[in-house]
Amino acid sequence: MNRVKIGYAQFCPEFGNRVANLAKVQKMVKDGGNADLLVFAELGVSGYDFRDREELISLAEPFDGGPTSLALIELAEEYSISLIIGYPEVSGEKVYNSCMLVTPDGKKYNYRKTHLFSRETLIFDAGDAPPPVISTPAGKIGLMICFDWVYPEIARLLTLAGAQIIAHPSNLVLQFCQKAMFARSVENGVFTITANRIGTEDRAGRSLTFTGASQVLDPKGNILAQAPDDEEHLAIIEVDLSRADDKFLTEHNHLLEGRRVDLYSGLVNL
Amino acid sequence: MNRVKIGYAQFCPEFGNRVANLAKVQKMVKDGGNADLLVFAELGVSGYDFRDREELISLAEPFDGGPTSLALIELAEEYSISLIIGYPEVSGEKVYNSCMLVTPDGKKYNYRKTHLFSRETLIFDAGDAPPPVISTPAGKIGLMICFDWVYPEIARLLTLAGAQIIAHPSNLVLQFCQKAMFARSVENGVFTITANRIGTEDRAGRSLTFTGASQVLDPKGNILAQAPDDEEHLAIIEVDLSRADDKFLTEHNHLLEGRRVDLYSGLVNL
């Protein structure tokens, strides 16, 4: 069974209002009907532009037993769906920009963003583990968050670890990413789902407007679905996962076996 | 002096007619006036679709002292320009899909394509060295050839080695590459010049039509010049190379220093 229904749910999180945001997630999952996978935005549970680390900590929660994981597990079981959403994670003295994946059988997985963007570097701790790939009923899903897209190393690591779909919760304020994900899909031969948010946050004298345009791309870079820049949008697309397993670009070119690892040592020199 | 004039010269090489193709190169260099760098297509000296290795060898030439390097050195000195073109290189028992760079002071440099495409794998030997970066009066130039574009590892290696401009002689039969070079420019913060060819080759029962659309992109992925799909075209653009040296995407994000090399070991596991 290689056909699965995957998509994104684009909305405007309300800053600091977890209850309202999880209610919105619940509603969009319900609206999504029988999807196998829905991806929500980075920090979709909390909003984005924390004044400082103190405010961030006050809105953060643990991965194990926190309100978001409890709510999502319930939802995932009820709707028999895999769900991904970003949230601020507290763990001891650390606070991460994380996303969690929950599966219909109630299991949960976590990824802590490794490449922090701009002021995130001032208030978050960066993750210290390579991005994970998780086997779910919706396929093998690799996780990366927003600015990770700039680093082709991350999508490549996910692909080498077997990802068929790269799920990519984001809070994008420009649209470079949406355009560049064409290359990420094609160079790796995977489906990509970039789930962005919409709306404006006016906080601490700053104004940030997010650019929407969430999208699902196939392994050839075709846009299967794309959201408007500034409206709520839910897209669910049926795809054949075996397309992500076929890495032959020509009969003589296997995308991954064609890598010249013998020449790549410069990529990991400090 | 960070301002240089760089570009591509797109034309239709005549299969197997080195004399005619080098005459065309000479004419386009002359037309190019006072450019500092001009990039021509992959195998621009010879044409592309060799029937077999035997025919390929009959049209190949050495890097040292071959007719193309002799002609290009003369041209580069006369017009005070750096020139790049692809040619079939013979070296002992090996035959490579190579490109050479010659500089106004008569020096020459070579790159042997490392990621061969489709039937090239049957007749060429693959290069065994990482792609080079060469300091020229037109800037620090990194070399890659056509299908190398699919592998983000190559453009990254060039960038890590200091390239300000990635020069990319190509023989593209699709237009995935032209679209993906946006990501290559942005993820590396470099200028890219993809010099494609035009025209159709009907050989050995195959017909290949090349897609033109040669282009120059800046470090933000803006298209500074782009050729038609099917017409000869010469573009020369004045650029400020210091834009490729500024790797700060935000005051907190240095594109290269932000790489998490500690997490990338999976990229070089065999």
Side-chain angles (χ1 to χ4, degrees), chain A residues 115 118 151 153 156 253 264, chain B residues 118 153 156 253 255 264:
Chain A
H115 300 84
S118 196
Y151 294 88
E153 291 89 346
R156 186 62 113 199
N253 293 103
Y264 295 167
Chain B
S118 196
E153 291 89 346
R156 187 62 112 198
N253 293 102
L255 188 54
Y264 295 168

Side-chain angles (χ1 to χ4, degrees), chain A residues 46 87 95 106 128 146 150 162 168 181 186 204 228 238 242 258 266:
Chain A
S46 59
Y87 73 107
V95 198
D128 275 326
C146 204
V150 172
H168 182 211
M181 291 304 291
V186 169
E238 186 171 303
S242 67

Side-chain angles (χ1 to χ4, degrees), chain B residues 88-253:
Chain B
E89 179 197 359
V90 63
S91 176
E93 298 293 304
K94 306 273 189 155
V95 198
Y96 300 101
N97 182 339
S98 299
C99 70
M100 66 174 74
L101 162 62
V102 299
T103 52
D105 59 1
K107 288 187 184 156
K108 66 183 191 298
Y109 306 85
N110 201 37
Y111 168 62
R112 295 165 172 171
K113 188 176 184 179
T114 49
H115 300 84
L116 298 173
F117 181 70
S118 196
R119 291 189 70 260
E120 296 170 28
T121 59
L122 306 179
I123 56 171
F124 284 102
D125 298 286
D128 274 325
V133 175
I134 299 126
S135 283
T136 78
K140 291 177 207 150
I141 301 174
L143 299 177
M144 66 182 200
I145 299 179
C146 203
F147 189 57
D148 285 332
W149 75 265
V150 171
Y151 294 87
E153 291 89 346
I154 291 295
R156 187 62 112 198
L157 286 169
L158 291 171
T159 303
L160 292 169
Q164 296 165 311
I165 302 168
I166 291 179
H168 181 211
S170 296
N171 272 193
L172 298 158
V173 292
L174 298 168
Q175 289 203 353
F176 284 88
C177 169
Q178 289 93 327
K179 197 166 168 187
M181 292 304 291
F182 171 81
R184 294 289 172 271
S185 288
V186 169
E187 73 206 16
N188 291 300
V190 295
F191 294 92
T192 60
I193 306 174
T194 296
N196 196 16
R197 60 163 287 182
I198 54 170
T200 296
E201 283 188 1
D202 288 301
R203 310 204 77 247
R206 290 183 297 270
S207 180
L208 291 179
T209 297
F210 301 91
T211 57
S214 298
Q215 59 187 21
V216 181
L217 268 60
D218 76 7
K220 297 294 179 197
N222 298 301
I223 297 176
L224 303 182
Q226 187 161 42
D229 293 354
D230 52 5
E231 288 171 34
E232 233 175 83
H233 197 252
L234 178 70
I236 295 160
I237 305 291
E238 186 171 303
V239 301
D240 179 356
L241 289 176
S242 67
R243 294 189 59 209
D245 296 330
D246 175 12
K247 301 297 191 194
F248 282 95
L249 296 183
T250 74
E251 64 176 306
H252 305 292
N253 293 102

Side-chain angles (χ1 to χ4, degrees), chain A residues 11-18 20-21 44-47 197 201:
Chain A
F11 74 110
C12 178
E14 187 179 327
F15 187 88
N17 193 341
R18 182 195 295 134
N21 294 328
V45 175
S46 59
R197 59 162 289 182
E201 283 187 3

